């Protein structure tokens, strides 16, 4: 069995490393964050993902997965898989410096039989850039392929075994070598003509997803203006009619959607994409839309606001709050009312993780505690806990004349009618 080195044990690296170990490969994980290495000492990932911790524990015990802070013990690996983050800087430009630093480190440990797999989401041309950087310092031509991660957080350990794996090698040898590896993990591999084509597939996936949400959100914004219900309309339009299948409207973000549109946008010299960035900014504008609506109803001097759901999505559940629209909402609320106390509840994100974003947040372990005497309650994601909330109980617990703003319209049609319940996209419909 081959030896594999996975560089970066974040969300993507950890799930892949452990899945490969589970298939019998000997996997070495390299990670520089001491907190992640500390958590692995207890056979635990630093994030929530169903099945993952059991698989980490099992594969460590079987000697198929180990974690390290340096390359000393992994020099003879057949594959080096880069899963480093590709964040945006303050100007929304992708920062590839961490990837290029790893490239430099790899030039000292790879040999002519090794294959490098780039798995992070990158702008078009990055795989070739890494190839050129390595070729300039090596005496042999390195094998390299771009093989994107496309799993969904919350179901990654299943999807990694079932989704087709896109492969874009710099040459045929590189694609063949990447295929040899991934065909042990999943049943379908799709070999692309170039690394650039594979890079474009990943960006196409996420930009398309963002644009689909943006269309649903645009319809919701229009419906609020027209006093119609977007939920009624989107459901009817898609009913037994395959050409108008839209998601329901709501605030979408997360570690991929919040940045991949910008990465896509920076991939061109002589072309400016027409709709991707507009779609992203429309998706981000929902927070302002909701706050304008609420402040028209109750002014800006509310004393207590509650946010239900800090994770960037609720279905499937995750504890990941990176790029969550709840963070944007918190910043905007503080912008209009700096004295307002903000209370939050999330079933999976820990107090430490939440307070790391804003130390002023009041974190609660139950919905009644978080919503007690609140003036405004925002429901921010579709976690199953919020889908069946008892509105009567919620309003009784809140301050008099409190407002519930349900961004996903989950409680439209709930048996307990209240005229202070509002759903995004159905502002004037209430929940009767
Ligand atoms: N999170 C997702 O669901 C997802 C899905 C598809 C693609 N992606 C893409 O995959 C990439 C990684 O995403 P992520 O969410 O795992 O990011 P992450 O930031 O959680 O993980 C990256 C890890 O790399 C480590 N690291 C940084 N420099 C290092 C070095 N020199 N040596 C060893 N380790 C180093 C960091 O400490 C971190 O733990 C990004 O490009 C992202 O856009 C993410």
């Amino acid at each position: 069995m081959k030896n594999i080195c996975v560089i970066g044990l974040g969300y993507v690296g950890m799930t892949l490393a452990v899945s490969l170990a589970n298939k019998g490969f000997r996997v070495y994980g390299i990670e520089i964050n001491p907190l992640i290495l500390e958590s692995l000492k207890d056979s635990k990932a630093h994030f929530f993902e169903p099945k993952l911790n059991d698989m980490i524990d099992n594969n460590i015990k079987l000697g198929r997965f180990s974690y390290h802070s340096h390359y000393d013990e992994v020099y003879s690996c057949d594959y080096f898989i880069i899963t480093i983050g590709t964040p945006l800087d303050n100007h929304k430009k992708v920062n590839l410096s961490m990837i290029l630093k790893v490239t430099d480190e790899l030039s000292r440990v790879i040999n002519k039989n090794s294959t490098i797999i780039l798995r992070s989401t990158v702008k078009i041309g990055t795989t070739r850039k890494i190839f050129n950087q390595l070729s300039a310092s090596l005496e042999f031509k390195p094998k390299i392929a771009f093989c994107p991660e496309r799993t969904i957080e919350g179901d990654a350990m299943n999807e990694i075994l079932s989704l087709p794996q896109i492969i874009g090698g710099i040459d045929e040898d590189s694609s063949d070598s990447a295929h040899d590896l991934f065909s042990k993990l999943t049943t379908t591999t799709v070999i692309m003509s170039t690394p650039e084509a594979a890079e474009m597939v990943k960006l196409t996936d996420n930009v398309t997803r963002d644009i689909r949400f943006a269309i649903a959100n645009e319809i919701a914004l229009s419906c609020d203006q027209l006093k119609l219900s977007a939920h009624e309309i989107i459901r009817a339009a898609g009913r037994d009619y395959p050409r108008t299948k839209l998601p329901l409207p709501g605030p979408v973000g997360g570690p991929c959607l919040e940045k991949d549109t910008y990465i896509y946008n920076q991939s061109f010299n002589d072309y400016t994409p027409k709709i991707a960035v507009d779609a992203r900014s429309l998706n981000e504008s929902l927070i302002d839309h909701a706050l304008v609506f609420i402040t028209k109803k109750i002014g800006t001097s509310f004393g207590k606001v509650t946010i239900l759901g800090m994770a960037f999505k609720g279905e499937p559940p995750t504890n990941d709050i990176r790029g969550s629209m709840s963070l944007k909402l918190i910043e905007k609320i503080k912008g209009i009312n700096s004295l307002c106390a903000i209370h939050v509840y999330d079933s999976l994100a820990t107090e430490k993780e939440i307070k790391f974003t804003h130390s002023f947040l009041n974190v609660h372990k139950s919905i009644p505690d978080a919503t007690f005497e609140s003036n405004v309650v925002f429901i921010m994601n579709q976690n199953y806990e919020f889908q069946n909330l008892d509105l009567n109980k919620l309003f009784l617990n809140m301050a008099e004349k409190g407002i519930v703003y349900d961004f996903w319209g989950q409680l439209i049609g709930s048996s307990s009618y209240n005229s202070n319940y509002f759903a995004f996209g159905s502002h004037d419909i209430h929940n009767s």
Side-chain angles (χ1 to χ4, degrees):
M1 219 16 130
K2 304 274 186 189
N3 286 355
I4 299 172
C5 175
V6 175
I7 304 139
L9 293 176
Y11 190 90
V12 169
M14 190 84 81
T15 50
L16 177 67
V18 174
S19 300
L20 288 167
N22 218 43
K23 289 285 178 188
F25 291 103
R26 175 66 179 93
V27 183
Y28 299 87
I30 304 271
E31 176 54 61
I32 52 171
N33 181 340
L35 295 175
I36 295 178
L37 297 170
E38 200 54 39
S39 159
L40 279 169
K41 282 188 189 157
D42 295 327
S43 293
K44 285 190 172 51
H46 56 292
F47 55 88
F48 167 78
E49 183 62 37
K51 295 186 183 177
L52 180 60
N53 284 348
D54 285 348
M55 284 168 71
I56 291 176
D57 189 41
N58 195 31
N59 283 289
I60 288 177
K61 282 182 182 145
L62 289 170
R64 295 194 300 222
F65 174 56
S66 55
Y67 47 91
H68 311 265
S69 56
H70 48 75
Y71 293 86
D72 295 2
E73 296 144 23
V74 299
Y75 63 95
S76 66
C77 279
D78 304 281
Y79 293 93
F80 290 86
I81 308 181
I82 304 175
T83 56
I84 303 296
T86 47
L88 300 181
D89 65 18
N90 291 339
H91 307 285
K92 299 222 180 274
K93 295 272 179 223
V94 61
N95 177 354
L96 293 177
S97 61
M98 287 189 287
I99 297 238
L100 298 177
K101 182 169 171 284
V102 167
T103 305
D104 193 41
E105 288 162 4
L106 284 184
S107 66
R108 293 189 280 277
V109 289
I110 59 169
N111 62 50
K112 66 179 177 13
N113 297 317
S114 323
T115 302
I116 297 170
I117 308 270
L118 178 59
R119 200 159 177 78
S120 311
T121 305
V122 292
K123 66 179 181 178
I124 312 290
T126 306
T127 311
R128 199 169 294 276
K129 186 172 181 166
I130 293 175
F131 171 78
N132 290 339
Q133 184 176 320
L134 283 169
S135 299
S137 61
L138 296 171
E139 280 163 9
F140 55 89
K141 192 175 149 203
K143 281 186 276 187
I144 182 165
F146 181 73
C147 304
E149 167 69 51
R150 301 194 299 159
T151 59
I152 190 165
E153 291 193 14
D155 195 29
M157 306 317 283
N158 294 326
E159 282 203 352
I160 212 164
L161 303 177
S162 61
L163 292 181
Q165 178 61 55
I166 304 293
I167 292 173
I170 199 85
D171 53 21
E172 208 176 319
D173 262 9
S174 303
S175 286
D176 286 350
S177 177
H179 164 82
D180 285 348
L181 175 69
F182 283 107
S183 58
K184 307 284 186 312
L185 198 61
T186 187
T187 45
T188 313
T189 60
V190 183
I191 310 282
M192 306 298 296
S193 52
T194 59
E196 289 77 9
E199 291 165 346
M200 189 66 175
V201 170
K202 174 63 195 174
L203 293 174
T204 301
D205 284 339
N206 279 1
V207 168
T208 304
R209 194 166 153 72
D210 217 17
I211 291 173
R212 286 186 75 243
F213 280 121
I215 295 171
N217 285 334
E218 175 136 309
I219 288 165
L221 292 166
S222 328
C223 284
D224 279 344
Q225 217 264 318
L226 294 168
K227 302 190 189 309
L228 296 172
S229 167
H231 300 85
E232 181 191 6
I233 287 156
I234 288 174
R235 282 200 177 99
R239 185 163 169 182
D240 299 332
Y241 189 69
R243 289 180 286 287
T244 315
K245 289 282 178 224
L246 281 181
L248 286 174
V252 286
C256 292
L257 287 195
E258 76 152 353
K259 72 182 174 67
D260 290 359
T261 291
Y262 297 104
I263 297 181
Y264 167 76
N265 205 40
Q266 284 155 48
S267 291
F268 313 96
N269 292 329
D270 295 323
Y271 175 68
T272 307
K274 305 284 184 296
I275 55 175
V277 171
D278 282 352
R280 177 85 307 251
S281 54
L282 185 141
N283 286 337
E284 289 178 2
S285 74
L286 310 193
I287 302 297
D288 287 329
H289 173 76
L291 286 174
V292 167
F293 176 76
I294 285 166
T295 51
K296 270 191 191 149
K297 296 257 171 233
I298 59 169
T300 56
S301 53
F302 38 80
K304 177 171 176 179
V305 167
T306 302
I307 293 175
L308 298 181
M310 286 296 289
F312 76 90
K313 63 164 187 172
E315 189 55 51
T318 174
N319 67 334
D320 198 343
I321 52 184
R322 295 175 297 171
S324 168
M325 285 295 144
S326 299
L327 297 174
K328 289 219 173 349
L329 175 63
I330 289 163
E331 283 150 25
K332 294 274 180 178
I333 292 171
K334 278 290 177 191
I336 57 176
N337 176 352
S338 60
L339 298 175
C340 164
I342 304 184
H343 293 247
V344 304
Y345 167 80
D346 191 287
S347 59
L348 287 175
T350 62
E351 178 163 2
K352 194 172 160 197
E353 285 162 350
I354 292 171
K355 286 224 174 226
F356 185 73
T357 64
H358 293 296
S359 55
F360 59 77
L361 293 173
N362 303 285
V363 183
H364 297 271
K365 290 193 164 48
S366 79
I367 296 174
D369 284 352
T371 55
F372 182 63
E373 294 196 338
S374 214
N375 302 103
V376 189
V377 171
F378 289 96
I379 306 176
M380 291 302 289
N381 69 33
Q382 294 167 294
N383 194 295
Y384 68 93
E385 281 185 293
F386 309 143
Q387 289 170 19
N388 297 309
L389 270 178
D390 183 329
L391 272 180
N392 274 337
K393 273 195 195 159
L394 189 61
F395 276 110
L396 280 173
N397 191 40
M398 290 169 62
E400 208 183 332
K401 296 188 182 155
I403 283 182
V404 172
Y405 193 90
D406 179 1
F407 257 112
W408 291 92
Q410 300 164 91
L411 301 174
I412 294 175
S414 147
S415 54
S416 43
Y417 171 78
N418 191 302
S419 61
N420 273 356
Y421 167 87
F422 299 99
F424 166 61
S426 298
H427 272 175
D428 291 278
I429 309 302
H430 298 289
N431 60 330
S432 55

